[in-house]
Amino acid sequence: MNFNLYIEKIGYYTRTAIEGYGRLSIMLFHAFSSIRKFHLYIGQIVEQFIYIGRRSLPIVIITSVFIGLALGVQIGTQMSPLTPAWVEGGLILRSILLEMGPIIIGLILSGRVAAGIAAEIGTMKVTEQIDALRSFAIDPVEYLVMPRLIAAMFAVPALLVFADFFAILAGFISSYFTINLGWEGFLKGMYHNFYVSDVFTSLVKAFIFGIVIVIFGSYFGFNSNRGANGVGKATTLAVVWSSVDILMLDYVISAFLFFL
Amino acid sequence: MIKINNIYKSFGNFKVLQGVNLNVEENKILSVVGKSGTGKSVLLKSILGLITYDKGNIEIDGINTNGFSEAEFNKYIRHKMTLVFQNGALWDSMTVGANIDLALQIQKHLDVTEREKRIKESLEAVGLINIRNVYPNELSGGMLKRAAIARAIAMKPKYLLYDEPTTGLDPILSNIINNLIKKLNVEMGITSLIISHDIKGVESISDDVAMLYEGKIILTCKAKEMWEQNNQIFNNFIRGKIT
Ligand SMILES: Nc1ncnc2c1ncn2[C@@H]1O[C@H](COP(=O)(O)OP(=O)(O)OP(=O)(O)O)[C@@H](O)[C@H]1O
Ligand SMILES: [Mg+2]
């Protein structure tokens, strides 16, 4: 490829990305500012809480268990023989609270929830249901995004509590089988390495990832093109970009809270 | 009164409306006919602000909507004007009853008794009283259309825009809908702008008829006099003559 063309392409994508983030921020702001009308949408909020929260619970538990099991094996086998075994309890606890829990939740939900929202809103867009809302003076962001946003801000941290619990439990089981660490040792390790700030970090991440998932799903849904493959594309973009942004923000939040 | 003054609209390089002029008089029924793809739906959506037109202006009760924001359309226009979409555009995540209820609740803030009353009345008017708890995807095309009309008339707007309300309905249902449009116009004074291919229906209920052709309104006349026009394009069109 010609060098100039290459630069041009980079310029084009950068501009598109900046524009995209700009419009996405406007939508986010709009959704937040319509929260003051939440009392009109209690039904939708509850429905979305069930969809985002309860329906995601099985998959969240399954993935957390396997991540916990794998962590137990990896950490257990990599610790030097000179380190007392009970230390593993603390290592598992911290890696799950700080990184594994929020990341699992974020990625699983961007696959399940962001994709679902993009598909639903995208279909509404192409079948003129969004225009129908507007024609009745119903604000589509207020009606479709805000209830999902509120639901996610509660549901995702709640799911995280379950994810953390099951991952730690699985971590214990697998350390028991790999390095024969009993529950007293595991608890001792956890106790020595427990910081309230870790729990806080974990919940902050979940809260923010919840917002990211809803906003990316909605944004790509609203921008889907006419036709069924428009909706398919919107769904893919929502998953890809919410995942990328979750990983990016995960780093930013970790670094930020570390320097705080 | 709706005054459409010299409206232009293109999608990219594709010109759709090219200087549309049309007036919809108070308390009247105006029908617009025209070939498929000439921009009839685009015209209706422009009036409600769902599509922004490129040039010209539209005045509704003396208010010029050119350059209006979404919020201004909500505030000044959309509470007194409803559109029946060509494909119905019912919200498919909720039942027909909930479809009718939503705007009554969120836009009009009506109490439960009044909402109940309007849901029943409007479903009755379109002959669908027993599908209240049915989801849109379980309905036939004709039922969808009528449910969409029910949702629109429940708002009791001053203006109703109908995008092909009788297309896809059998002759008897078409009559029922046409009579309903007329009745709403006569009894409640609802000013109606109808897009229609149902020439007999147009003749029987409209006060005026207009034809959209190649991006312009090429003719407006009294419905009573529609068979005595001099415009060849219009004459051929309403007689279904292949040219
Ligand atoms: N959002 C849009 N983006 C791009 N093109 C559009 C859009 N909406 C309509 N068009 C184009 O504008 C033209 C007019 O469309 P419109 O739906 O108004 O036709 P119509 O007169 O209502 O036809 P019909 O009688 O078949 O409903 C069509 O060629 C259509 O492809
Ligand atoms: Mg049309």
Side-chain angles (χ1 to χ4, degrees), chain A residues 40-41 44 47 120 123-124 126-140 142-143 226, chain B residues 45 48-50 70 74 78 81-82 85 87 89-92 94 102-103 105-107 109 151-152 155:
Chain A
L40 289 172
Y41 304 93
Q44 277 86 355
E47 200 179 297
E120 195 177 341
T123 307
M124 290 184 74
V126 300
T127 55
E128 297 187 313
Q129 293 178 53
I130 303 281
D131 278 345
L133 285 173
R134 294 171 60 210
S135 80
F136 283 97
I138 299 170
D139 180 342
E142 183 180 304
Y143 176 70
R226 307 211 287 182
Chain B
K45 287 183 195 161
L48 258 178
L50 303 175
E70 191 75 4
N74 287 345
R78 291 173 186 161
M81 184 186 283
T82 347
F85 284 75
N87 65 4
L90 291 178
W91 300 302
D92 54 20
M94 53 180 107
L102 188 70
Q105 192 184 350
I106 292 175
Q107 189 206 115
H109 304 291
R151 181 176 70 175
M155 302 300 287

Side-chain angles (χ1 to χ4, degrees), chain B residues 58-95:
Chain B
I58 297 177
E59 270 175 47
I60 296 160
D61 294 338
I63 301 170
N64 183 353
T65 66
N66 190 350
F68 260 22
S69 67
E70 191 75 4
E72 286 168 319
F73 270 110
N74 287 345
K75 187 166 169 208
Y76 298 109
I77 309 298
R78 291 173 186 161
H79 66 271
K80 61 177 171 192
M81 184 186 283
T82 347
L83 167 63
V84 178
F85 284 75
Q86 187 167 354
N87 65 4
L90 291 178
W91 300 302
D92 54 20
S93 64
M94 53 180 107
T95 62

Side-chain angles (χ1 to χ4, degrees), chain A residues 48-260:
Chain A
Q48 291 303 324
F49 185 84
I50 291 171
Y51 172 75
I52 297 173
R54 215 197 66 196
R55 301 252 171 84
S56 304
L57 195 55
I59 181 82
V60 162
I61 291 177
I62 292 167
T63 38
S64 313
V65 164
F66 282 105
I67 293 282
L69 290 173
L71 269 184
V73 175
Q74 295 295 358
I75 294 178
T77 50
Q78 287 181 42
M79 281 197 321
S80 106
L82 300 175
T83 323
W86 60 263
V87 171
E88 173 155 8
L91 294 176
I92 286 182
L93 173 73
R94 290 207 81 191
S95 50
I96 286 171
L97 281 185
L98 288 173
E99 291 301 334
M100 284 310 186
I103 292 279
I104 301 168
I105 291 278
L107 295 184
I108 290 290
L109 293 188
S110 73
R112 206 187 101 78
V113 177
I117 294 175
E120 195 177 341
I121 296 183
T123 307
M124 290 184 74
K125 170 87 187 298
V126 300
T127 55
E128 297 187 313
Q129 293 178 53
I130 303 281
D131 278 345
L133 285 173
R134 294 171 60 210
S135 80
F136 283 97
I138 299 170
D139 180 342
V141 172
E142 183 180 304
Y143 176 70
L144 294 170
V145 184
M146 180 265 279
R148 288 174 165 81
L149 193 64
I150 295 181
M153 291 191 300
F154 289 100
V156 179
L159 282 171
L160 179 80
V161 173
F162 284 94
D164 285 351
F165 175 79
F166 282 97
I168 292 168
L169 189 69
F172 161 65
I173 292 168
S174 108
S175 347
Y176 177 78
F177 286 110
T178 15
I179 58 167
N180 206 11
L181 173 64
W183 64 270
E184 285 142 324
F186 195 86
L187 283 181
K188 181 178 171 195
M190 294 222 306
Y191 179 76
H192 278 274
N193 252 314
F194 178 79
Y195 302 95
V196 179
S197 64
D198 288 359
V199 177
F200 178 73
T201 306
S202 203
L203 289 173
V204 165
K205 284 183 175 178
F207 182 81
I208 291 177
F209 294 171
I211 296 171
V212 170
I213 284 159
V214 170
I215 287 298
F216 275 79
S218 309
Y219 176 79
F220 287 108
F222 276 119
N223 285 298
S224 57
N225 293 319
R226 307 211 287 182
N229 73 13
V231 177
K233 207 172 138 202
T235 311
T236 312
L237 285 171
V239 175
V240 170
W241 285 105
S242 61
S243 307
V244 169
D245 279 71
I246 279 169
L247 295 175
M248 245 162 56
L249 281 170
D250 181 68
Y251 167 72
V252 173
I253 298 166
S254 303
F256 182 76
L257 291 175
F258 174 78
F259 288 115
L260 207 67

Side-chain angles (χ1 to χ4, degrees), chain B residues 9 11 16-17 39-47 51 163:
Chain B
K9 175 69 190 175
F11 293 102
V16 181
L17 304 179
K40 303 182 300 297
S41 299
V42 169
L43 181 65
L44 290 193
K45 287 183 195 161
S46 307
I47 298 173
I51 287 180
D163 199 343

Side-chain angles (χ1 to χ4, degrees), chain A residues 18-34:
Chain A
I18 291 173
E19 262 174 30
Y21 278 107
R23 285 193 290 160
L24 191 130
S25 314
I26 291 170
M27 198 176 83
L28 181 62
F29 180 77
H30 187 150
F32 267 106
S33 63
S34 52

